[in-house]
Amino acid sequence: MNEWNRSILISTGLLRIPKLWYGRHSVTAKMANVFVPKLYNIKRHYEQLKSKYDTYEGLMRQEKLKEFKLGMKKQQFMFTKVSQESESAVHASYVLSEMIAKHSKPFTEGDFIKECLIKAAEIVCPGSVKTFQAISLSRNTVVERVTDMARNLNDQIKEKSSCFEAFSIACDESTDIGGVAQLAVFFRACDTDFIIFEELLELVPMHGTTTGEDIFNCVYDLLQKMQFTLIKIDFCSNRWSSFNDWKNQRFRSITAKKLIEISDGSNIHHTHCIIHQEVLCTKVIKMKNVLTPIKKFINFIRSRGLNQRQFSLFLTELESEYSGLSYYTEVRWLSCSKVLKQFWDLKEEICQFLMTKNQDIALFSDQVWLQDFSFVVDITKHLSDLNLKLQGKDQIITNMCDQVNAFKCKLVLWEKQLKNEDLMHFPTCNMYKSSLGETASYQKYAEKMLSLRNEFETRFSDFKSLEGKFTLFSSIFSINIESVPNHMQMEVKDIQCDSDLKAKFIEVGVSEFHKYLPARFENSRKLAYEIMSMFGSTYRCEQSFSLMKGNKSLIRSRMTDVHLGSVLKLITANKISPEVGKMVAEKRCQISGRKY
């Protein structure tokens, strides 16, 4: 069969396996009989229907052949174009669904977004309207896309888990709008290249009790499902309101027992959230005598619409820098410093306004109360600054401990200064004392500094067992070799005497230095893996609960646990992102059938 006859048969669809016909692949006779049409059938079909093309000769025959080939290419291009358009529509559907989830929008927002795209296309590019109409963004589609991307993130975590040299778990529990206890479990891992992964492992709904044993079972089952090795783990928790709570102790004991069973008594580090412990330390200041009346005054002004409007108008007339007062809630502890500072700056205006409302304002002339007030304003500002330094993701635990140790040193300094009536670092106290003259004394607040320092020492005692490792990690070139564990002394001495490594340490800093350590320093690298993978706080958990409240709210209270977990998985994704291209390739791309 010549090229002319083959082209006719291909263009008419009778010859469907040209590669086999041309003999480019070796096939058995049996396969050829099954897949290749019988020669006499093709010949008969050609003689009956296509023999008219035999009249073409010379250049006419060549032009007709080119016409057949061009027609075949157009058909192939048409199907390829439709496939590409379908894949692009599905890809856009995934990307827009991810944006809907990351911005905490309802799944039904997809229809609105599609309508906006079509309206914009009708104005900007009328010829591309059908392309935008092909994007599927219905509620069910958005839900499916979000679930697929969350599942893809889980698959990536499973694949990478075998490469983690060490990891830690941060867990915390909160209740959503539907009354379901949601356990947020984050992991922080370090791989062989010292890349830190800090991701949400899963949001686990707990419909029953939430004891320490229940939480351990949930975490353990989750680690098994995600193929994490328990012997590489450290724990950081913020589940309980006090450091010595029996639930916390129960969780620790069960974890240690399980670890002994599987790893012959290997050690495990269990730490309490640094940020939470810092907040608990502030309770020894005993600010109730100051905060209680202040909250009463604020609530009197803010809780009544008329009072609030009149007070705002009063401040406007006085050309004050403030336009009103802020509420204070104990849950949002950081608001304490701002509220106290604001109230102190406006105390004279507030006093005048309360007089017009026939309220008791005796406290505003009480010198002792005002002195306590000025001290609380300054100390809460210092504590708030420390809290802000401890917040944020991707923080190394040694840096957080350095901030706490620095604050403890400041407490020692402030205690001495208060005893000597030196108010350099207490500007509000200094200003109030200047207004009174020499009659006011702040020496009594030195005891507050001592109590606060002792509380810090007690609360952060669980980090004392790690001080040696922290020092070796962050000060490897200045540490005394005698304080280094015996099995690491030779390595550390070699590192200290290496001028190139010392120069690199000065250049990149502690957080980046250890990735430059040669592989022969195995023990030093292993220590770095362990320290860099440790959680210092449950900040990511608290952040996820704020996102949970924003997603599963009063108007979205029927959101399922699976969908809530998928949305938070996408929002909190850090180093790992959904493989949209891979998911699109695995999909059977179809154009949306919805008409607008």
Side-chain angles (χ1 to χ4, degrees):
M1 184 178 290
N2 56 30
E3 185 179 3
W4 167 264
N5 295 336
R6 283 196 298 270
S7 300
I8 295 175
L9 293 174
I10 291 172
S11 63
T12 56
L14 289 176
L15 190 56
R16 299 179 183 275
I17 312 178
K19 290 185 178 180
L20 294 177
W21 186 266
Y22 290 135
R24 295 179 185 176
H25 298 277
S26 60
V27 295
T28 62
K30 186 175 180 180
M31 292 178 62
N33 290 333
V34 173
F35 294 105
V36 182
K38 296 289 186 179
L39 178 61
Y40 66 88
N41 287 336
I42 299 175
K43 184 177 180 181
R44 183 183 61 183
H45 175 81
Y46 178 77
E47 290 175 351
Q48 291 179 355
L49 301 178
K50 309 296 181 183
S51 58
K52 60 182 179 179
Y53 296 112
D54 290 339
T55 58
Y56 291 91
E57 295 179 356
L59 185 59
M60 292 286 292
R61 192 178 182 89
Q62 293 178 10
E63 290 180 353
K64 199 64 179 179
L65 180 60
K66 290 180 181 179
E67 183 181 341
F68 284 137
K69 289 183 177 181
L70 183 60
M72 182 180 65
K73 290 181 179 179
K74 286 183 177 179
Q75 291 179 4
Q76 293 174 344
F77 176 74
M78 180 184 69
F79 288 111
T80 303
K81 182 179 179 181
V82 171
S83 176
Q84 290 176 348
E85 290 178 352
S86 301
E87 288 186 3
S88 299
V90 175
H91 193 283
S93 178
Y94 270 105
V95 172
L96 293 175
S97 298
E98 183 181 6
M99 292 179 65
I100 290 172
K102 284 191 171 183
H103 288 81
S104 301
K105 299 296 182 182
F107 299 136
T108 52
E109 289 290 308
D111 289 329
F112 173 70
I113 292 174
K114 183 174 180 179
E115 186 176 353
C116 293
L117 290 174
I118 293 174
K119 291 295 183 182
E122 290 175 352
I123 300 172
V124 179
C125 47
S128 303
V129 173
K130 290 185 178 180
T131 304
F132 290 98
Q133 288 177 343
I135 303 173
S136 180
L137 286 174
S138 64
R139 179 190 178 281
N140 291 338
T141 301
V142 174
V143 170
E144 182 185 355
R145 301 286 190 252
V146 171
T147 306
D148 287 346
M149 288 184 282
R151 190 182 301 114
N152 176 262
L153 291 177
N154 281 338
D155 293 339
Q156 291 187 62
I157 292 173
K158 286 182 182 180
E159 292 176 3
K160 295 179 182 294
S161 62
S162 60
C163 302
F164 296 153
E165 294 294 326
F167 71 95
S168 63
I169 292 294
C171 55
D172 196 2
E173 175 260 318
S174 184
T175 305
D176 62 24
I177 194 68
V180 179
Q182 301 284 354
L183 178 67
V185 183
F186 277 82
F187 80 92
R188 179 185 173 94
C190 183
D191 65 5
T192 53
D193 296 325
F194 289 95
I195 299 176
I196 303 298
F197 297 89
E198 196 171 291
E199 307 285 345
L200 174 64
L201 200 56
E202 195 165 317
L203 188 70
V204 184
M206 303 181 69
H207 296 277
T209 57
T210 58
T211 62
E213 187 172 355
D214 295 328
I215 293 174
F216 170 80
N217 291 334
C218 288
V219 174
Y220 182 75
D221 294 341
L222 180 60
L223 293 176
Q224 293 293 103
K225 184 180 75 171
M226 301 302 288
Q227 301 176 3
F228 278 76
T229 305
L230 193 60
I231 59 176
K232 299 179 180 180
I233 194 172
D234 293 302
F235 277 97
C236 179
S237 62
N238 189 21
R239 165 62 182 83
W240 304 277
S241 59
S242 64
F243 179 68
N244 293 317
D245 191 273
W246 68 272
K247 290 184 179 181
N248 196 351
Q249 297 297 330
R250 178 64 174 161
F251 181 76
R252 290 190 181 199
S253 62
I254 296 174
T255 305
K257 182 179 179 181
K258 190 67 178 180
L259 190 67
I260 290 174
E261 292 178 1
I262 65 176
S263 60
D264 299 329
S266 297
N267 230 350
I268 186 171
H269 302 299
H270 188 293
T271 59
H272 195 72
C273 173
I274 293 178
I275 297 177
H276 189 226
Q277 290 189 86
E278 188 251 350
V279 174
L280 293 175
C281 289
T282 62
K283 295 185 180 296
V284 301
I285 300 177
K286 298 178 181 179
M287 305 177 291
K288 191 173 181 180
N289 67 313
V290 174
L291 280 176
T292 300
I294 288 177
K295 287 192 292 184
K296 179 182 176 182
F297 293 139
I298 292 175
N299 291 339
F300 174 78
I301 296 174
R302 287 295 307 270
S303 62
R304 295 169 174 82
L306 179 60
N307 290 348
Q308 183 178 356
R309 294 193 300 270
Q310 291 176 341
F311 184 69
S312 298
L313 183 61
F314 179 61
L315 294 179
T316 303
E317 292 174 352
L318 294 176
E319 298 182 353
S320 173
E321 61 177 310
Y322 297 103
S323 60
L325 292 173
S326 302
Y327 274 121
Y328 166 71
T329 56
E330 191 172 358
V331 175
R332 297 183 178 180
W333 184 84
L334 281 180
S335 65
C336 180
S337 175
K338 294 180 180 180
V339 170
L340 290 173
K341 175 63 175 173
Q342 191 181 65
F343 198 95
W344 176 267
D345 293 340
L346 293 173
K347 62 182 184 298
E348 294 181 1
E349 291 86 346
I350 294 171
C351 181
Q352 295 177 30
F353 181 78
L354 293 176
M355 286 177 62
T356 63
K357 297 294 181 177
N358 298 320
Q359 296 293 310
D360 185 10
I361 57 171
L363 276 177
F364 288 89
S365 58
D366 187 340
Q367 181 178 335
V368 176
W369 184 80
L370 289 173
Q371 193 172 344
D372 290 342
F373 187 8
S374 63
F375 170 75
V376 171
V377 170
D378 286 334
I379 192 60
T380 53
K381 179 64 169 61
H382 290 308
L383 290 167
S384 179
D385 291 342
L386 172 62
N387 199 296
L388 292 173
K389 291 177 182 178
L390 297 175
Q391 292 184 25
K393 59 185 180 181
D394 298 327
Q395 287 217 46
I396 299 178
I397 191 172
T398 53
N399 294 339
M400 300 179 71
C401 288
D402 288 343
Q403 295 290 347
V404 174
N405 291 332
F407 190 79
K408 289 192 289 187
C409 294
K410 292 177 183 177
L411 290 174
V412 176
L413 174 65
W414 295 336
E415 180 185 355
K416 293 180 180 179
Q417 290 180 338
L418 287 172
K419 288 180 179 179
N420 298 327
E421 295 290 343
D422 184 357
L423 302 178
M424 175 63 67
H425 302 289
F426 294 84
T428 308
C429 297
N430 195 19
M431 180 180 64
Y432 182 66
K433 183 179 180 180
S434 300
S435 65
L436 294 177
E438 299 297 329
T439 57
S441 175
Y442 281 86
Q443 290 183 351
K444 60 180 180 180
Y445 299 110
E447 297 180 1
K448 296 281 188 181
M449 295 295 99
L450 178 60
S451 300
L452 189 58
R453 180 162 59 89
N454 292 336
E455 189 69 12
F456 265 82
E457 293 289 348
T458 304
R459 291 283 178 185
F460 291 95
S461 59
D462 55 340
F463 288 98
K464 288 185 177 180
S465 60
L466 296 170
E467 284 182 356
K469 291 184 176 181
F470 289 170
T471 304
L472 180 56
F473 171 80
S474 57
S475 307
I476 192 169
F477 286 96
S478 58
I479 191 172
N480 187 352
I481 196 66
E482 295 180 358
S483 61
V484 177
N486 294 334
H487 69 283
M488 293 185 62
Q489 287 181 344
M490 297 298 100
E491 279 191 14
V492 173
K493 183 54 73 173
D494 289 339
I495 294 172
Q496 289 178 342
C497 296
D498 192 317
S499 57
D500 292 335
L501 289 177
K502 189 172 184 178
K504 182 60 69 173
F505 181 85
I506 297 173
E507 177 185 351
V508 300
V510 177
S511 59
E512 297 290 330
F513 165 71
H514 292 85
K515 65 175 64 175
Y516 296 98
L517 281 177
R520 68 178 185 272
F521 299 121
E522 181 181 355
N523 292 323
S524 299
R525 290 174 65 91
K526 185 177 179 181
L527 174 67
Y529 292 141
E530 179 184 349
I531 301 300
M532 294 184 68
S533 65
M534 291 181 67
F535 268 113
S537 71
T538 57
Y539 171 80
R540 295 300 305 275
C541 297
E542 298 291 343
Q543 188 183 44
S544 67
F545 290 142
S546 297
L547 297 170
M548 180 185 73
K549 302 291 185 183
N551 280 274
K552 192 171 182 179
S553 57
L554 285 172
I555 59 175
R556 301 180 70 190
S557 59
R558 296 184 64 184
M559 192 177 193
T560 64
D561 295 330
V562 175
H563 295 158
L564 178 62
S566 299
V567 169
L568 291 185
K569 193 90 171 178
L570 290 178
I571 297 177
T572 58
N574 189 15
K575 292 287 182 63
I576 303 177
S577 57
E579 299 171 321
V580 177
K582 179 180 178 181
M583 289 184 287
V584 172
E586 294 173 351
K587 279 281 183 183
R588 178 179 295 176
C589 300
Q590 297 179 352
I591 296 177
S592 174
R594 178 168 295 193
K595 297 180 180 180
Y596 287 87

